[in-house]
Amino acid sequence: LREFPRQTYGTEESAELETAVLSALQNLISLKSLSWTRDGTLRSTFLEKISEHCQQLESLELNGHSANYYDPRLLLNFKRVENLTVIMPDRAFVDCFEEWIQQNGAGLRTLSLISKQSPLINDATMERLAATASHLKHVHLLGNPRVTHRGVASISSNCPELEALYIEGTEFDMQALSTLVSSSPFPALTSLSLTLPTSSSPMTFFDGVYSVFRKSPLTEFTIWRAGGDVSNVKSSVLPMDFIRSFLLVHGERLRKFAVQRLETSMEVIGEVTKRCPKLEKFFMVLGPCDMDVLASHLRRLTHLHTVHVSYTFTNRNPIVAVPPSSSPAHESHASVRFVRQCPRSLRIIGFMTRVYEVRHKWILLNKDPVEWQDEPEVTLERYSGQAIPEAFLVMKA
């Protein structure tokens, strides 16, 4: 319910809507997942009805701005929720959330706390959470600046089953974290997303990343820099020394390597394509470069499924994405010529804000004897998937 209409509370129209919603909710007895995120539309009466009739609910995503809209203590009625996402929690919600964790944390598997530079979620919150929710498998923290290396260390110490850790829009001391964690932190972690801090040395940060996660069995890695132009900033270039060390440890397993707002040099791209034979998804940010050279690197990746290319402001001559039209782009277009040079496994290609599906069509030259064209025709068609393309799911705060 992300587009739930906002009505002036107390009007005849809002009363009719509330009656209809309450009637519908009592029929959702088999509901397992609910998302209600639009600010100001969730009411106490709705939460009461949901907790009463939706006894099988396992996943809950809601807006945490409760003031003047709903009683956050109603969260305590949801005792079977395993996957919880909270957007923009206020003080009253955070207080009830911590009480809910004490009661139900043992069953929690996924937690996402999405704020906008809010001080309400802090290290103490993380420590109480980790002590109770020891079976967590996925943790996503976005825009919670009071969470430091101490809060992250508590997750490492208490949640050995953690498989995914996304800490985005939150700066903390990675080197300090490396001194707090055990010799083998995050033993089950396969997916990691981090934000490069602006307040400390990039090399110090990357040294800490290598130290903390060198023994984790990573298969997905995302790194990005928050805000601003990535041009002409030394700290906005992904360092080659880190890439070499990181890929020597993780390259054979990696299936996803994603870079956002950090220039990805052709040297880095070459190292990734050499060291990551199983790579399926590759997101990059390009400065001025030769796209034919890029394609020659990508051809090494025989399992490559998805590529997304963004550009720095200094890249004045990027591939121009397919014009917005209902017709597919054919061989004459620069983007199609580039895709033809990529591995044939490629199915999704993105340029900046546009995403396309790669289509291959084999041409039959003769029926008797059967003879096919040596190479398939390649076209790019506008993305038709129901889900948002993954490149745009990387959170930015």
Side-chain angles (χ1 to χ4, degrees), residues 215-242:
K215 294 185 179 180
S216 300
L218 294 178
T219 60
E220 299 184 352
F221 179 67
T222 299
I223 182 70
W224 60 279
R225 179 179 178 271
D229 176 14
V230 301
S231 305
N232 303 317
V233 180
K234 187 175 182 180
S235 64
S236 294
V237 179
L238 200 59
M240 189 63 193
D241 289 345
F242 164 74

Side-chain angles (χ1 to χ4, degrees), residues 247 251-252 254 257 271-279 301:
L247 295 183
E252 288 291 329
L254 281 183
F257 189 88
E271 193 72 10
V272 171
T273 58
K274 282 193 297 184
R275 300 288 184 183
C276 305
K278 297 179 181 178
L279 201 67
L301 302 173

Side-chain angles (χ1 to χ4, degrees), residues 317-330:
N317 189 32
I319 280 184
V320 178
V322 180
S325 68
S326 57
S327 59
H330 294 279

Side-chain angles (χ1 to χ4, degrees), residues 128-378:
R128 288 190 286 269
L129 165 71
T132 306
S134 59
H135 296 292
L136 273 171
K137 292 184 178 296
H138 298 258
V139 171
H140 183 185
L141 303 176
L142 171 63
N144 297 283
R146 294 293 181 87
V147 176
T148 74
H149 56 281
R150 296 185 182 279
V152 179
S154 68
I155 295 174
S156 172
S157 301
N158 293 283
C159 304
E161 300 172 28
L162 194 72
E163 297 173 356
L165 178 64
Y166 308 140
I167 306 178
E168 300 168 341
T170 301
E171 297 190 7
F172 64 95
D173 190 332
M174 188 64 72
Q175 282 286 12
L177 175 62
S178 68
T179 65
L180 288 180
V181 296
S182 66
S183 59
S184 299
F186 303 106
L189 194 72
T190 59
S191 184
L192 175 66
S193 179
L194 297 170
T195 303
L196 177 66
T198 57
S199 58
S200 61
S201 163
M203 283 312 304
T204 299
F205 173 82
F206 283 115
D207 287 346
V209 171
Y210 175 79
S211 176
V212 173
F213 300 102
R214 69 185 184 280
K215 294 185 179 180
S216 300
L218 294 178
T219 60
E220 299 184 352
F221 179 67
T222 299
I223 182 70
W224 60 279
R225 179 179 178 271
D229 176 14
V230 301
S231 305
N232 303 317
V233 180
K234 187 175 182 180
S235 64
S236 294
V237 179
L238 200 59
M240 189 63 193
D241 289 345
F242 164 74
I243 291 299
R244 287 195 183 97
S245 301
F246 184 82
L247 295 183
L248 280 173
V249 175
H250 301 290
E252 288 291 329
R253 290 186 309 272
L254 281 183
R255 298 183 183 276
K256 174 185 174 182
F257 189 88
V259 182
Q260 298 275 342
R261 292 185 176 274
L262 280 168
E263 185 176 337
T264 320
S265 70
M266 205 56 63
E267 187 180 14
V268 166
I269 291 171
E271 193 72 10
V272 171
T273 58
K274 282 193 297 184
R275 300 288 184 183
C276 305
K278 297 179 181 178
L279 201 67
E280 299 171 1
K281 300 175 182 179
F282 196 179
F283 305 157
M284 66 195 75
V285 180
L286 299 180
C289 66
D290 186 330
M291 297 301 286
D292 291 336
V293 175
L294 172 61
S296 70
H297 288 313
L298 296 180
R299 275 200 297 273
R300 298 171 177 153
L301 302 173
T302 57
H303 299 283
L304 191 64
H305 180 276
T306 303
V307 169
H308 196 97
V309 178
S310 300
Y311 304 106
T312 66
F313 291 170
T314 57
N315 192 345
R316 300 299 182 186
N317 189 32
I319 280 184
V320 178
V322 180
S325 68
S326 57
S327 59
H330 294 279
E331 301 288 325
S332 61
H333 201 281
S335 56
V336 178
R337 292 198 299 272
F338 169 72
V339 170
R340 279 192 62 87
Q341 300 178 70
C342 294
R344 200 168 291 166
S345 59
L346 188 64
R347 292 295 177 265
I348 303 291
I349 180 78
F351 299 100
M352 296 298 284
T353 60
R354 296 180 183 173
V355 179
Y356 303 92
E357 297 174 359
V358 181
R359 304 293 189 191
H360 296 91
K361 182 180 180 181
W362 292 89
I363 304 300
L364 181 64
L365 300 177
N366 285 306
K367 292 185 178 180
D368 188 19
V370 174
E371 182 183 0
W372 295 90
Q373 186 172 299
D374 291 340
E375 294 290 331
E377 287 189 358
V378 176

Side-chain angles (χ1 to χ4, degrees), residues 29-214:
I29 59 175
S30 299
L31 189 68
K32 291 185 178 294
S33 179
L34 173 65
S35 177
W36 198 317
T37 57
R38 190 171 189 192
D39 186 23
T41 63
L42 188 58
R43 305 290 181 184
S44 292
T45 51
F46 298 158
L47 281 173
E48 290 169 347
K49 191 67 69 171
I50 294 167
S51 63
E52 178 184 354
H53 293 281
C54 306
Q55 297 292 319
Q56 299 185 44
L57 194 66
E58 297 175 355
S59 298
L60 181 62
E61 180 182 12
L62 71 161
N63 193 294
H65 180 200
S66 63
N68 302 319
Y69 299 116
Y70 65 87
D71 179 2
R73 290 194 61 79
L74 292 171
L75 180 68
L76 301 175
N77 294 334
F78 295 88
K79 303 183 184 302
R80 296 186 57 182
V81 170
E82 297 180 0
N83 310 301
L84 179 64
T85 297
V86 182
I87 300 172
M88 307 297 286
D90 57 23
R91 168 54 67 189
F93 189 98
V94 170
D95 291 342
C96 292
F97 164 73
E98 294 198 10
E99 186 176 346
W100 183 87
I101 287 293
Q102 296 303 313
Q103 295 181 12
N104 306 289
L108 194 62
R109 297 295 179 268
T110 300
L111 176 65
S112 298
L113 298 174
I114 300 172
S115 302
K116 190 174 182 180
Q117 300 305 307
S118 168
L120 299 176
I121 304 296
N122 53 37
D123 286 342
T125 309
M126 290 295 101
E127 289 166 356
R128 288 190 286 269
L129 165 71
T132 306
S134 59
H135 296 292
L136 273 171
K137 292 184 178 296
H138 298 258
V139 171
H140 183 185
L141 303 176
L142 171 63
N144 297 283
R146 294 293 181 87
V147 176
T148 74
H149 56 281
R150 296 185 182 279
V152 179
S154 68
I155 295 174
S156 172
S157 301
N158 293 283
C159 304
E161 300 172 28
L162 194 72
E163 297 173 356
L165 178 64
Y166 308 140
I167 306 178
E168 300 168 341
T170 301
E171 297 190 7
F172 64 95
D173 190 332
M174 188 64 72
Q175 282 286 12
L177 175 62
S178 68
T179 65
L180 288 180
V181 296
S182 66
S183 59
S184 299
F186 303 106
L189 194 72
T190 59
S191 184
L192 175 66
S193 179
L194 297 170
T195 303
L196 177 66
T198 57
S199 58
S200 61
S201 163
M203 283 312 304
T204 299
F205 173 82
F206 283 115
D207 287 346
V209 171
Y210 175 79
S211 176
V212 173
F213 300 102
R214 69 185 184 280

